[in-house]
Amino acid sequence: MRTLRKYTGFLAKIHSFALIFSFFFIGATPQISKSFAQPVREGTKVLKAPLAPVALEGEFLVQFRSDKSLNAIKKGNNPKWISKLGKDVKIDTRLSSFNIAHIQVSNPAGDGNWENLANILSSDPDVYAVEPNYVVYANTANPASPNDPHINKMWFLDQIKAFEAWSQPSSTTEDIIVAVVDTGVKFTHEDLKGHIWINRKEIPDNKIDDDNNGLVDDIFGWNFYEGNNWPGPIVYPAPTITPDDRCYEGQSGVYTNLHGTHVAGTIAAMGNNAKGIKGIADKVKIMPLKALGGGCGSGDTIDILAAIIYAYENGARIINLSLGSFGRSFIAQKVYEDLAAKGVLFVIAAGNETVDNDGEPRSYPASYPIDGILSVAATTPTDDLAEFSNWGRKNVDIAAPGVDIFSTIVLPNEEKKTLSDSYNFESGTSMASPIVSGAAALLLSHQPSLTNLQIKETLMNSVDPISGLANKVASGGRLNLQKMLRHQTVRQPSKTAEAPQKRQKARSAEQHIDGIRIFDRRSQREERIKW
């Protein structure tokens, strides 16, 4: 892990390096301190540098007097002092034309402290200078501070280091397609309409299946729940709750049908448009696929499977599923396995029943043993596991903020008999999952060649370790976007997913209001989930 650490100068032991260090120190442009690094809420301000420089812990630059040592390193003949820095030392020689090496140690607290380096490096007469690997920020207006008026309500952006990640330019002009399988997405929402996928193979409103996929005029996706080409929510008139519907206490047709639009906004709301909020990813198109609906926001397995197959066939690399049930389907599992093998990454809410997904009961599809599934738990502003969140050291992979998440919704306008664009706070693993989906899309925009398993491993291996999550999720931590982007530039992830961890004992579920469930209308069996 690369972490930031303040440096005020070398220890006296570094003797011969002191003068050289002073020269570099004066010329360095240090990182803005935490107080200045907070996102700009009103207007644009000029960045100011702090008095104390900041550097990456466990990393340093070494300049040699000649090319002798570097040439030896390139040939695999490392100087004796390198072996004294511990195991898994990484040496970057990209600046060898200036006789400079970039060195990273695996144990910054021990091998990478300056006193230890002074003792080790002073023994090599070819070492001319050594200094920390400073973080450098441009002294100009902050481009990572969007002008969206409600962004100050998105508390989690600071926690996951979104502003720092947004300051890094992406490396692709291609939009990443993220499918949202949910209660529908208002694709005309003021903060979403510029980031909605369009099926270019279809001619709008000609009532012809131009792309021969069996679906007529599927321009913006498809409504698998009602079997039509309107993949948006039905809020006005509000879906009625029939006597056969068994909803959670407090649910209504209006409330549950806001769900998909809220999820989509977290992933991809347009930034810097002076409206609403900003989603996690910029280079992204949302593919709205409605598979849940009705008075309780329910659906069935077949519609969900049809939706994810449609998503894959139309180019979605990431599929967000903020849904689940306690019913395990081996047929469904095979479909997920096949699509994962074809490169799809499924980002799935772990569930809100306060149960251990390694035991019984457990939430599906989050708990299917498939490498291409990334299961997400929810955390609070204090980095605790949310009281409603499921967990599982084996079957839940990562945690992300999921309490009081502010995003896009729609509300019925009684006067105009239409839907009005709006915004609201919601909580649940359904809110944590799209934060991770947006992170995956952001990562792909920086490194589009990554496979689904490489994306998953990068996300899991770059978390902020949280002690309270150590035995709750496989990664042991909460999402960090800045580390995610830095991680993939240092180390190319392998093709294997995180190894499964030991199971934990199940805990009994607690009931929570405002959930979505999947209800098998044919067998009349109810299988519940929580957002």
Side-chain angles (χ1 to χ4, degrees):
M1 298 292 181
R2 303 171 86 201
T3 57
L4 300 178
R5 183 174 293 272
K6 292 184 179 180
Y7 289 90
T8 56
F10 281 111
L11 298 172
K13 275 197 168 186
I14 302 190
H15 305 304
S16 61
F17 306 140
L19 181 61
I20 298 298
F21 171 75
S22 298
F23 173 78
F24 285 129
F25 179 85
I26 293 171
T29 305
Q31 181 198 9
I32 54 176
S33 66
K34 184 176 181 181
S35 59
F36 287 102
Q38 300 306 309
V40 179
R41 303 308 188 190
E42 297 180 8
T44 302
K45 299 180 180 179
V46 176
L47 298 181
K48 296 181 180 180
L51 297 178
V54 178
L56 294 172
E57 186 178 17
E59 299 191 22
F60 52 97
L61 305 182
V62 177
Q63 186 170 36
F64 299 94
R65 298 181 185 277
S66 68
D67 60 3
K68 178 180 177 181
S69 294
L70 273 176
N71 288 336
I73 290 173
K74 288 180 180 180
K75 294 177 181 179
N77 300 319
N78 292 335
K80 293 181 179 179
W81 54 264
I82 288 185
S83 64
K84 298 179 181 180
L85 293 178
K87 298 179 180 179
D88 301 322
V89 175
K90 296 180 181 179
I91 305 174
D92 177 2
T93 59
R94 286 175 294 175
L95 300 182
S96 59
S97 59
F98 292 89
N99 293 333
I100 295 173
H102 171 209
I103 297 179
Q104 301 175 65
V105 298
S106 58
N107 181 20
D111 304 316
N113 70 68
W114 285 111
E115 185 173 4
N116 193 38
L117 290 175
N119 290 329
I120 294 173
L121 297 178
S122 60
S123 64
D124 189 341
D126 197 36
V127 173
Y128 178 62
V130 60
E131 67 175 45
N133 185 18
Y134 289 109
V135 177
V136 179
Y137 279 63
N139 289 318
T140 183
N142 188 352
S145 296
N147 61 11
D148 308 88
H150 294 311
I151 201 163
N152 62 322
K153 297 177 182 177
M154 304 176 75
W155 62 266
F156 58 92
L157 296 179
D158 286 327
Q159 192 180 68
I160 65 173
K161 302 297 182 184
F163 296 96
E164 292 84 347
W166 290 338
S167 69
Q168 306 301 313
S170 62
S171 59
T172 180
T173 58
E174 297 291 327
D175 287 318
I176 309 302
I177 301 174
V178 179
V180 173
V181 179
D182 214 290
T183 61
V185 175
K186 188 174 187 287
F187 48 88
T188 58
H189 194 288
E190 64 176 10
D191 229 1
L192 288 172
K193 58 186 178 182
H195 282 173
I196 297 296
W197 173 81
I198 298 175
N199 183 2
R200 302 295 181 183
K201 300 175 184 178
E202 282 283 340
I203 299 173
D205 303 322
N206 67 351
K207 300 186 181 345
I208 298 174
D209 180 15
D210 300 293
D211 57 3
N212 296 313
N213 66 353
L215 307 175
V216 176
D217 290 338
D218 53 322
I219 305 299
F220 301 108
W222 192 254
N223 182 339
F224 293 91
Y225 183 82
E226 282 136 345
N228 60 49
N229 69 340
W230 181 262
I234 305 298
V235 177
Y236 188 89
T240 59
I241 299 178
T242 69
D244 292 333
D245 289 325
R246 286 168 287 176
C247 301
Y248 282 105
E249 179 185 355
Q251 269 190 305
S252 70
V254 171
Y255 190 83
T256 55
N257 279 275
L258 309 178
H259 189 265
T261 302
H262 194 280
V263 166
T266 299
I267 299 170
M270 298 180 65
N272 285 314
N273 63 348
K275 296 179 181 178
I277 63 168
K278 184 184 186 305
I280 299 298
D282 286 317
K283 297 285 186 179
V284 64
K285 295 293 185 186
I286 293 294
M287 180 187 291
L289 299 174
K290 184 172 182 176
L292 305 175
C296 300
S298 60
D300 60 32
T301 299
I302 192 66
D303 288 343
I304 293 169
L305 293 182
I308 65 174
I309 292 171
Y310 178 97
Y312 163 72
E313 291 178 342
N314 287 277
R317 296 193 59 183
I318 302 163
I319 300 178
N320 188 90
L321 293 162
S322 290
L323 49 80
S325 78
F326 289 129
R328 179 173 185 173
S329 166
F330 291 95
I331 293 175
Q333 180 175 331
K334 184 63 167 64
V335 174
Y336 285 102
E337 286 175 349
D338 289 348
L339 294 182
K342 296 178 184 294
V344 174
L345 178 67
F346 295 98
V347 183
I348 307 178
N352 299 343
E353 292 77 30
T354 321
V355 301
D356 183 351
N357 276 353
D358 293 347
E360 297 293 344
R362 63 182 69 172
S363 182
Y364 296 100
S367 299
Y368 287 133
I370 300 170
D371 287 343
I373 287 177
L374 185 59
S375 177
V376 185
T379 53
T380 69
T382 56
D383 269 334
D384 296 310
L385 185 72
E387 63 177 1
F388 52 77
S389 180
N390 293 356
W391 72 93
R393 192 176 179 186
K394 175 182 177 182
N395 287 325
V396 180
D397 299 301
I398 194 171
V403 175
D404 292 335
I405 305 302
F406 195 77
S407 187
T408 50
I409 63 167
V410 290
L411 292 175
N413 187 317
E414 297 292 343
E415 181 180 349
K416 297 181 179 180
K417 310 296 184 185
T418 57
L419 301 179
S420 296
D421 299 341
S422 190
Y423 305 83
N424 199 17
F425 293 96
E426 303 294 345
S427 297
T429 55
S430 281
M431 283 61 253
S433 179
I435 291 177
V436 176
S437 289
L442 179 64
L443 178 60
L444 272 178
S445 73
H446 284 259
Q447 197 167 355
S449 63
L450 290 179
T451 68
N452 57 344
L453 301 189
Q454 289 173 327
I455 297 168
K456 176 178 178 178
E457 186 176 355
T458 300
L459 286 164
M460 293 178 64
N461 288 344
S462 59
V463 297
D464 281 336
I466 306 296
S467 59
L469 299 175
N471 293 314
K472 298 296 185 180
V473 299
S475 64
R478 186 252 309 132
L479 178 73
N480 182 311
L481 298 184
Q482 184 184 31
K483 287 184 179 180
M484 173 192 75
L485 294 184
R486 184 178 295 147
H487 181 89
Q488 55 90 18
T489 61
V490 173
R491 172 179 174 272
Q492 182 70 268
S494 69
K495 294 185 178 181
T496 58
E498 190 77 4
Q501 303 293 321
K502 185 178 179 180
R503 289 189 178 186
Q504 291 188 330
K505 295 181 180 180
R507 214 164 67 169
S508 59
E510 295 179 9
Q511 300 240 344
H512 295 273
I513 63 172
D514 297 326
I516 289 181
R517 64 182 177 183
I518 298 178
F519 179 63
D520 189 335
R521 294 188 289 267
R522 290 157 294 192
S523 66
Q524 297 300 302
R525 289 185 305 172
E526 180 188 39
E527 296 171 350
R528 296 185 294 179
I529 69 162
K530 172 81 166 57
W531 284 4

